[in-house]
Amino acid sequence: PQGSEKDKTFVHAFLKRSMPKMKDEAIQDMLTRKAVVLEHYPKKKTKQKRKKTKGFTAKQRRELRLFEIEPEQQRYAIFLPLHELWKQYIRDLCHGLKPDAQPHVIQSKLLKADLHGAIVTVTKSKCPSYVGITGIILQEFKHIFKIITKEDKLKVVPKLNNVFSLELDGFISYIYGSKFLLRASERSAKKFKLKGSIDL
């Protein structure tokens, strides 16, 4: 029955447990009222820190020689299939290099395209020894191209102060290296100006 000592003891113990900061007198005072608002003390959750996967630093990559091509792999014939793949990639990107295609549309797509596998030629340079170098681009970095020539020689050609040309299906495009000082991944998201000053 309501009002029994057992019920009162239970309610008192429940309130004491639910509101540990309140004194017995305050609890008794609350029992004389109709409504009782229980306090809630949630347990603090400890946040687990996520461990970030650390990659290699530039110094570690150089020490491990991750981007170096072994001398026995420096052969032009090995990378000809890569060039064929690149040609198919460009044709798909430009929806076929047709004679009636607009040059500025193709040019804008080539500026953002991946050039690994493209055959390029240095047509102009402030350093005469670079002029005439032709080969397949094996690696593109922010400031340089690594090119393998038909003579199986790996050439490191800086982008700065050099003009490169590439030809595909009769379409010739010129790359001004001084305006091309970007990594391949950064270049795909960059907006290039169609008009601007052109120099070495």
Side-chain angles (χ1 to χ4, degrees), residues 130-170:
Y130 288 127
V131 177
I133 292 176
T134 303
I136 300 172
I137 294 178
L138 299 188
Q139 291 174 313
E140 179 187 355
F141 297 95
K142 186 174 183 178
H143 297 285
I144 63 166
F145 285 124
K146 281 190 178 181
I147 298 171
I148 187 79
T149 65
K150 288 182 179 180
E151 293 78 26
D152 296 337
K153 291 183 179 178
L154 188 66
K155 300 284 186 178
V156 179
V157 183
K159 294 180 180 179
L160 190 66
N161 300 327
N162 286 322
V163 179
F164 304 86
S165 67
L166 59 90
E167 188 269 336
L168 180 64
D169 296 344

Side-chain angles (χ1 to χ4, degrees), residues 67-78:
F67 296 115
E68 289 192 22
I69 300 167
E70 297 297 329
E72 60 270 15
Q73 299 295 324
Q74 295 176 13
R75 288 188 292 149
Y76 186 83
I78 291 177

Side-chain angles (χ1 to χ4, degrees), residues 56-185:
F56 292 117
T57 62
K59 185 179 179 182
Q60 288 172 329
R61 285 197 292 267
R62 284 194 297 270
E63 288 173 351
L64 293 170
R65 302 173 66 188
L66 292 178
F67 296 115
E68 289 192 22
I69 300 167
E70 297 297 329
E72 60 270 15
Q73 299 295 324
Q74 295 176 13
R75 288 188 292 149
Y76 186 83
I78 291 177
F79 298 100
L80 279 174
L82 175 65
H83 174 61
E84 292 301 319
L85 284 173
W86 181 82
K87 287 197 294 186
Q88 188 58 50
Y89 155 67
I90 293 298
R91 289 184 187 119
D92 293 343
L93 182 70
C94 300
H95 307 293
L97 293 170
K98 299 174 184 177
D100 58 343
Q102 296 180 343
H104 69 276
V105 175
I106 297 172
Q107 184 72 25
S108 64
K109 289 185 178 181
L110 284 174
L111 286 171
K112 296 186 177 187
D114 191 337
L115 296 177
H116 292 92
I119 292 180
V120 295
T121 303
V122 182
T123 53
K124 290 182 183 179
S125 177
K126 285 191 176 180
C127 180
S129 62
Y130 288 127
V131 177
I133 292 176
T134 303
I136 300 172
I137 294 178
L138 299 188
Q139 291 174 313
E140 179 187 355
F141 297 95
K142 186 174 183 178
H143 297 285
I144 63 166
F145 285 124
K146 281 190 178 181
I147 298 171
I148 187 79
T149 65
K150 288 182 179 180
E151 293 78 26
D152 296 337
K153 291 183 179 178
L154 188 66
K155 300 284 186 178
V156 179
V157 183
K159 294 180 180 179
L160 190 66
N161 300 327
N162 286 322
V163 179
F164 304 86
S165 67
L166 59 90
E167 188 269 336
L168 180 64
D169 296 344
F171 183 86
I172 300 172
S173 179
Y174 292 94
I175 299 169
Y176 288 80
S178 302
K179 309 293 182 185
F180 223 64
L181 298 177
L182 293 163
R183 293 181 181 89
S185 56

Side-chain angles (χ1 to χ4, degrees), residues 112 179 182 185-193:
K112 296 186 177 187
K179 309 293 182 185
L182 293 163
S185 56
E186 296 171 352
R187 192 158 39 79
S188 61
K190 182 177 171 60
K191 290 184 178 179
F192 289 91
K193 292 180 181 178

